[in-house]
Amino acid sequence: MNFRTCYVAFETGAEPSLTVAARLDVPTSDEPIAPVPAVVICHGSDGVDARGRYHAQALQAAGFATLELDMWAARGVTRGAPGRPKTVPETLPDAFAALAFLARQPEVDPARIAIMGFSWGGVVSVLSATRRYADALAPSGLRFAAHAAFYPVLWSYNRAPGHELRDLTGAPLLIHAGAADAYDTPEVCDAFLGGLAAADRAHVELVVHPGATHAFDRDMPAKTIHDPYAHNGKGGPVRFEFDPAAAAAASARVVEVFRGAFAKASS
């Protein structure tokens, strides 16, 4: 399948109002094709980097359109934790505006739109699966069909303000975490699912990759950052190191989960 790349921009419901930019990749053909599923991709604190393209390739190979957001440019954030917004919920309007934008595209099936993200963007993906934010921010009649979150700071849920993880929409929520991620202790990963209500836990899948650090799917030179949200909120250094095996396995599982959710949405 061939894809056409477009660079687009659209307004969000953020305060104050913002116009965010994004890269849209949609299938193209000389013959008419039916509307396809699509995936919104949300970056981490480092901004748009290799992670988005890494996963977009697999998603497009599965026949999905992709929309990779740049949440930072409109806010004047250059790169990294120091300049980012104070809270993740401030950027949730971007994700739901992306859902509305994709639903308007003739190449896209509005009932089959998923979201995925990394770190900050992973938290966006998790919180967008709650009725609290979906009911307030999603366009009328639209919801994300599935959510995938990579290393979305697991310690923060039901602890950090605005990170309440309860009353989920019912769409599948796939979470990939690294056992060596400095944002969370291993105990946090072990206890995460048990901390959810049974009705919500039924929709959540947590995959913990042994030995994987934060940003284990970032195919770039390894580095260490410092983030006040790391180490269960105490702050400190965080290692980013690419793990090819974990990244490939995680990417494949995302495609599987999204394919299953899209099939259900179209039935």
Side-chain angles (χ1 to χ4, degrees), residues 38-140:
V39 180
V40 176
I41 301 174
C42 300
H43 60 72
S45 291
D46 253 12
V48 176
D49 62 16
R51 285 172 281 187
R53 289 293 89 204
Y54 178 87
H55 290 283
Q57 290 176 1
L59 295 167
Q60 291 165 22
F64 310 153
T66 59
L67 181 69
E68 186 175 2
L69 296 184
D70 184 348
M71 299 180 287
W72 284 178
R75 293 177 171 84
V77 179
T78 52
R79 185 168 291 275
R84 68 193 178 191
K86 291 183 178 179
T87 68
V88 172
E90 293 175 53
T91 55
L92 280 169
D94 298 14
F96 287 104
L99 172 64
F101 174 82
L102 281 172
R104 296 193 296 269
Q105 306 313 305
E107 302 93 342
V108 173
D109 180 350
R112 296 187 291 163
I113 301 173
I115 183 171
M116 69 179 297
F118 323 109
S119 195
W120 183 286
V123 182
V124 169
S125 185
V126 170
L127 296 181
S128 66
T130 66
R131 294 186 188 279
R132 171 187 178 181
Y133 290 115
D135 290 350
L137 298 172
S140 179

Side-chain angles (χ1 to χ4, degrees), residues 9 12 25 41 45 87-88 90 95 100 121 129 138 148 150 159 162 164-165 183 238:
T12 82
D25 290 276
I41 301 174
S45 291
T87 68
V88 172
E90 293 175 53
F150 281 70
R159 291 180 62 183
E164 291 75 25
L165 187 55
Y183 278 89
V238 180

Side-chain angles (χ1 to χ4, degrees), residues 172-227:
L173 169 58
L174 170 66
I175 298 175
H176 287 288
D181 187 341
Y183 278 89
D184 303 305
T185 61
E187 292 77 17
V188 167
C189 293
D190 291 342
F192 176 76
L193 291 178
L196 303 179
D200 292 328
R201 191 163 61 245
H203 304 295
V204 181
E205 176 185 345
L206 172 62
V207 181
V208 180
H209 299 269
T213 69
H214 198 76
F216 64 81
D217 54 340
R218 176 182 174 273
D219 190 4
M220 299 171 69
K223 70 174 185 176
T224 298
I225 66 161
H226 290 262
D227 191 335

Side-chain angles (χ1 to χ4, degrees), residues 37 61-62 74 78 97 111 117 163 174 178 213 229 255-256:
T78 52
H163 286 215
L174 170 66
T213 69
Y229 272 83
V255 170
E256 290 176 352

